[in-house]
């Protein structure tokens, strides 16, 4: 690790120099099977030829002009996202945190438009929404907030997947203007709510004239077996944020809104210097087309069921595995003990995995993995878990 870098990341002792599909090679020539895809970013895998071509084509023509001028490819991308999501309008930024900042600002401006002087947003325990001051305040993890006080006011926290708690807030807090929630909590441990949770939130928001805002930064872009996770249910959000896999590694984020929420932000109320530039938008348009052509939403749904079935079967006799859960290619295996050491052990076996919430192994493989690669991930992860817990049996 270079002394010139701020010591923000506890990076693992490996550096990658090239990739292809679900495979990566480090600077020593060692090969790894990537089961985390840059934390759900590289849905098309590494060095996808369509993405490479799009980058080169656009970079040779035009990278940036700013939003002082019209950007046709930005308009094209917005129209595609509107078509896929059923939303009405899109704002482009550079990251998921920026997309969530836009959503938070939109909700506050909406609240002031309803003559609410101190608008508040309901957020969830164990959530993760970003590292900016507003989004880390919205995040339900005290570790990421510690030392950054004073935090941003205007958030009310309730347990995830608890409609009674939400209804109690509705009865006692007249300042609520929106609910911000992840359809599946990623950083919080791949926590999956009841099937009707989002639909019930939709009904509560309609009843109280709140905005329903979904953070689909990790769940969006085919990851859970639909273009967007809310499409597993009946209701649409008023606001939705996406990023990560939208650019397959090229920084881009988006805040989508519909109906009354789509009219809130007006010229001068928000903006971004780099947001929606020609390079990022051309790549994102290519990513979407590739996902459509390969029907990767359906592929994620089929492979996700395979992962859950095979992992559950192979780990059934391990008493330290408390849960195997997932939606599409967003998989969590929870143990009854901290298991962060498994990340380093897996690397020695040529496998990249992630552990989140201390006890949950998180798998977010590229959507383009083959059946054989899926079997390798399943077999390797199960072997690692059984060996890791053997001394505790």
């Amino acid at each position: 690790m270079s002394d010139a870098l701020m010591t923000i990341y506890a990076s693992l002792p490996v550096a990658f120099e090239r990739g292809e599909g679900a495979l990566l090679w480090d600077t020593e020539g060692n090969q790894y099977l990537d089961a985390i895809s840059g934390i759900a970013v590289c849905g098309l895998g590494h060095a996808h030829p369509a993405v490479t071509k799009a980058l080169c084509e656009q970079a040779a023509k035009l990278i940036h002009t700013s939003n002082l001028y019209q950007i046709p490819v930005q308009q094209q991308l917005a129209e595609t996202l509107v078509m896929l999501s059923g939303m009405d309008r899109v704002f482009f930024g550079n990251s998921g945190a920026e997309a969530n900042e836009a959503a938070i600002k939109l909700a506050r401006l909406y609240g002031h438009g309803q003559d609410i002087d101190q608008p508040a947003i309901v957020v969830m325990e164990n959530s993760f929404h970003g590292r900016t001051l507003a989004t880390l305040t919205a995040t339900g993890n005290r570790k990421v907030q510690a030392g950054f006080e004073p935090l941003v006011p205007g958030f009310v926290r309730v347990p995830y997947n608890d409609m009674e708690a939400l209804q109690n807030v509705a009865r006692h807090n007249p300042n609520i203007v929106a609910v911000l929630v992840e359809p599946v909590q990623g950083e919080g441990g791949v926590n999956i709510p009841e099937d009707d949770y989002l639909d019930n939130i939709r009904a509560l928001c309609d009843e109280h004239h709140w905005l329903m805002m979904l953070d689909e930064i990790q769940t969006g872009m085919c990851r859970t077996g639909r273009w967007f996770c809310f499409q597993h249910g009946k209701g649409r959000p008023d606001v939705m944020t996406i990023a990560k896999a939208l650019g397959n590694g090229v920084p881009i984020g988006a805040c989508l809104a519909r109906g009354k929420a789509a009219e809130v932000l007006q010229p001068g109320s928000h903006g971004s210097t780099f947001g929606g530039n020609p390079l990022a938008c051309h790549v994102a348009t290519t990513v979407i087309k590739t996902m459509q052509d390969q029907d990767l939403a359906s592929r994620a749904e089929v492979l996700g069921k395979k992962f859950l079935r095979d992992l559950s079967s192979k780990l059934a006799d391990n008493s330290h595995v408390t849960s195997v859960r997932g939606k599409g290619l967003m998989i969590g295996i929870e143990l009854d003990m901290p298991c962060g050491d498994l990340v380093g052990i897996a690397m020695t076996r040529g496998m990249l995995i992630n552990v989140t919430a201390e006890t949950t192994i998180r798998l977010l493989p590229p959507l383009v993995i083959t059946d054989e690669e899926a079997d390798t991930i399943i077999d390797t992860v199960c072997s690692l878990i059984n060996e890791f817990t053997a001394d505790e049996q």
Side-chain angles (χ1 to χ4, degrees):
M1 181 70 72
S2 171
D3 290 339
L5 291 170
M6 288 190 183
T7 53
I8 291 173
Y9 305 108
S11 300
L12 292 162
V14 63
F16 300 108
E17 65 177 11
R18 67 185 180 92
E20 182 179 341
L23 300 176
L24 283 166
W25 286 266
D26 67 17
T27 52
E28 304 299 319
N30 301 306
Q31 178 182 291
Y32 302 80
L33 180 53
D34 186 0
I36 194 68
S37 57
I39 318 181
V41 168
C42 299
L44 299 182
H46 303 284
H48 193 285
V51 175
T52 301
K53 181 181 178 183
L55 276 166
C56 293
E57 286 179 345
Q58 190 60 49
K61 293 194 297 184
L62 188 66
I63 293 177
H64 175 79
T65 59
S66 91
N67 288 290
L68 291 173
Y69 314 102
Q70 294 185 24
I71 303 173
V73 69
Q74 182 189 102
Q75 296 170 14
Q76 177 188 350
L77 177 58
E79 289 166 3
T80 301
L81 288 172
V82 162
M83 180 271 296
L84 290 171
S85 65
M87 305 297 276
D88 292 336
R89 291 186 176 178
V90 187
F91 164 79
F92 290 108
N94 307 288
S95 66
E98 285 187 39
N100 281 336
E101 281 278 345
I104 291 166
K105 287 181 67 176
L106 189 157
R108 288 191 169 193
L109 197 56
Y110 168 79
H112 284 290
Q114 307 298 308
D115 294 325
I116 297 175
D117 290 335
Q118 300 292 325
I121 300 170
V122 182
V123 292
M124 309 299 155
E125 295 176 0
N126 298 316
S127 62
F128 184 85
H129 298 294
R131 298 278 189 173
T132 65
L133 272 175
T135 57
L136 75 82
T137 304
T139 291
N141 183 340
R142 181 59 191 151
K143 288 183 179 179
V144 306
Q145 298 171 343
F148 296 106
E149 297 85 359
L151 300 178
V152 178
F155 295 96
V156 175
R157 198 171 312 282
V158 300
Y160 187 65
N161 194 29
D162 188 336
M163 282 306 302
E164 184 177 347
L166 266 175
Q167 290 161 351
N168 188 54
V169 169
R171 286 191 292 269
H172 296 100
N173 194 325
N175 291 327
I176 301 300
V177 297
V179 177
L180 174 62
V181 61
E182 298 160 277
V184 175
Q185 288 187 331
E187 297 295 325
V190 192
N191 300 318
I192 300 172
E194 299 294 331
D195 288 343
D196 60 356
Y197 181 56
L198 294 185
D199 289 338
N200 287 336
I201 291 177
R202 175 71 275 170
L204 188 68
C205 288
D206 288 341
E207 179 183 353
H208 294 280
H209 306 290
W210 299 347
L211 298 180
M212 179 184 181
M213 308 200 303
L214 295 186
D215 178 339
E216 291 243 20
I217 289 161
Q218 192 165 139
T219 57
M221 302 305 296
C222 301
R223 174 58 56 182
T224 69
R226 300 288 188 276
W227 276 100
F228 308 103
C229 193
F230 80 83
Q231 293 170 334
H232 287 280
K234 299 175 184 177
R236 282 177 295 165
D238 299 298
V239 180
M240 178 178 71
T241 56
I242 58 174
K244 286 190 179 289
L246 179 58
N248 208 67
V250 174
I252 184 170
C255 178
L256 292 76
R258 71 177 181 95
K260 58 192 176 186
E263 308 299 326
V264 173
L265 295 176
Q266 294 294 322
S269 59
H270 198 49
S272 171
T273 296
F274 298 107
N277 70 35
L279 183 71
C281 287
H282 184 58
V283 171
T285 299
T286 301
V287 168
I288 290 173
K289 184 179 186 307
T290 305
M291 288 181 169
Q292 288 175 315
D293 290 346
Q294 298 183 18
D295 194 11
L296 291 184
S298 296
R299 175 67 173 162
E301 183 171 40
V302 170
L303 275 181
K305 291 177 180 177
K306 170 185 172 61
F307 267 87
L308 290 181
R309 181 182 65 248
D310 292 357
L311 287 168
S312 297
S313 174
K314 292 176 182 291
L315 295 170
D317 295 330
N318 191 319
S319 62
H320 292 283
V321 177
T322 62
S323 176
V324 177
R325 52 186 181 261
K327 209 171 188 67
L329 285 176
M330 190 172 182
I331 310 293
I333 307 161
E334 186 174 357
L335 306 186
D336 63 359
M337 64 180 76
C339 55
D341 289 345
L342 276 173
V343 174
I345 297 171
M347 281 183 54
T348 67
R349 309 284 183 88
M351 179 80 63
L352 304 182
I353 64 171
N354 175 247
V355 168
T356 190
E358 296 187 352
T359 59
T360 300
I361 298 141
R362 178 172 51 165
L363 303 177
L364 300 163
L367 307 181
V368 296
I369 58 170
T370 64
D371 289 345
E372 293 76 17
E373 289 168 338
D375 285 333
T376 299
I377 293 172
I378 291 165
D379 292 342
T380 303
V381 168
C382 289
S383 295
L384 288 167
I385 291 171
N386 286 329
E387 292 169 17
F388 183 75
T389 59
D391 293 338
E392 305 294 332
Q393 296 283 8

